[in-house]
Amino acid sequence: MSGRLLAMPLLIINMGGEMAYILQQRLVAQKIPESKSFKVLHDVIRTMYNKKFITALFSPQPVYTNKSVRQVFDRLAHSSIMRLNENSMDKLFDLMSMGFKYQIIRCIGPEQFMDITMNHLDNLFGMVKEEGVIALLDNAKSLVLDTYSNMSQGNLYLLKQTLYGFFEDRKVKVGTIFIIFF
C-alpha cells in the first residue's frame, strides 16, 4: 500500500501523543487535582484509541486538510470533562503541530518515524492505568507495527513527503493554554 495513503495514522497518533504531553503539563501547571487530571487524560486517550476510530484511521486514505485534522483534535480534546476555549485550542493545536513537525524534520530517514511513533505510544502507556485503555494502546501499537514495519523504502519516502506536505507553510505561534472544567 502506498505511503501516501497511510500517513493519517502516523499524523494522528503522533500529534495525539504531543497533545497528551501538553495537556498533562498544563494540568500540573494549573494545579488541577490528580483525580481530575487522571480522568481527563484517560478520557482523551480512550477516545483517541477507540477501536472503531483507530481501525478507520488505518484504512488507506489521503491525508486530511489542516482544518479537518484540527476538527478531529477538537473532538478529542472535548471528549472529557475538560473544556478549552477557541484561543486555547488554537494554541494547543499549534504546539502539537510544532512538536511533531520538529521531530519529523530532525529525522535522517523516514524509518525513524516508527521510532517517534513507538516513543509516543510507550509514553502514553505511562500515563494510563486502566486495563481497558492499556488494551486500546496495545491494539494501536500492533496496528502500527503491522502496517509500517515491512513498508518498502520507496513507500517510506512517500510517507515522509506526505507528512512534510501536511506541515508545509504552517506558521506556529506559542502561548498559554487554559483548561476549564465543567
Side-chain angles (χ1 to χ4, degrees):
M1 186 55 57
S2 170
R4 289 193 191 286
L5 299 177
L6 292 171
M8 277 306 296
L10 291 185
L11 187 65
I12 298 297
I13 288 171
N14 288 294
M15 287 182 67
E18 293 296 320
M19 178 181 174
Y21 301 154
I22 295 162
L23 289 177
Q24 184 180 44
Q25 291 171 354
R26 294 308 308 153
L27 291 163
V28 169
Q30 292 181 14
K31 296 178 174 62
I32 304 300
E34 194 172 312
S35 62
K36 278 190 177 181
S37 295
F38 181 79
K39 180 164 179 33
V40 166
L41 290 172
H42 271 76
D43 288 349
V44 169
I45 293 169
R46 181 183 301 107
T47 303
M48 191 180 319
Y49 292 96
N50 169 289
K51 275 195 179 202
K52 187 175 180 181
F53 174 70
I54 211 79
T55 300
L57 188 61
F58 273 85
S59 297
Q61 60 189 299
V63 173
Y64 297 176
T65 63
N66 263 289
K67 183 178 179 180
S68 295
V69 171
R70 164 63 193 267
Q71 288 173 339
V72 168
F73 283 105
D74 280 347
R75 289 186 195 119
L76 289 172
H78 294 105
S79 65
S80 71
I81 58 173
M82 171 186 69
R83 294 294 172 257
L84 299 173
N85 65 32
E86 189 72 22
N87 187 42
S88 289
M89 190 63 214
D90 288 343
K91 290 175 185 174
L92 174 60
F93 189 73
D94 285 345
L95 286 169
M96 293 161 42
S97 299
M98 179 182 66
F100 184 46
K101 180 180 179 179
Y102 176 77
Q103 290 171 359
I104 62 172
I105 287 172
R106 301 276 307 168
C107 288
I108 295 168
E111 54 282 333
Q112 290 178 322
F113 293 166
M114 280 289 290
D115 296 335
I116 293 168
T117 305
M118 297 314 273
N119 184 51
H120 277 120
L121 287 168
D122 288 342
N123 284 313
L124 290 178
F125 278 104
M127 291 182 188
V128 298
K129 294 182 175 105
E130 291 177 17
E131 288 300 317
V133 180
I134 291 170
L136 294 173
L137 289 171
D138 279 331
N139 178 58
K141 194 171 185 176
S142 292
L143 285 169
V144 167
L145 291 171
D146 292 346
T147 304
Y148 301 102
S149 56
N150 293 318
M151 192 175 269
S152 72
Q153 211 50 24
N155 277 324
L156 285 171
Y157 276 98
L158 285 173
L159 179 67
K160 177 181 177 180
Q161 261 185 338
T162 304
L163 289 171
Y164 282 2
F166 177 81
F167 290 110
E168 191 174 61
D169 299 328
R170 269 257 319 123
K171 308 285 187 262
V172 176
K173 55 187 179 292
V174 180
T176 304
I177 299 168
F178 292 99
I179 299 171
I180 301 167
F181 294 91
F182 289 102

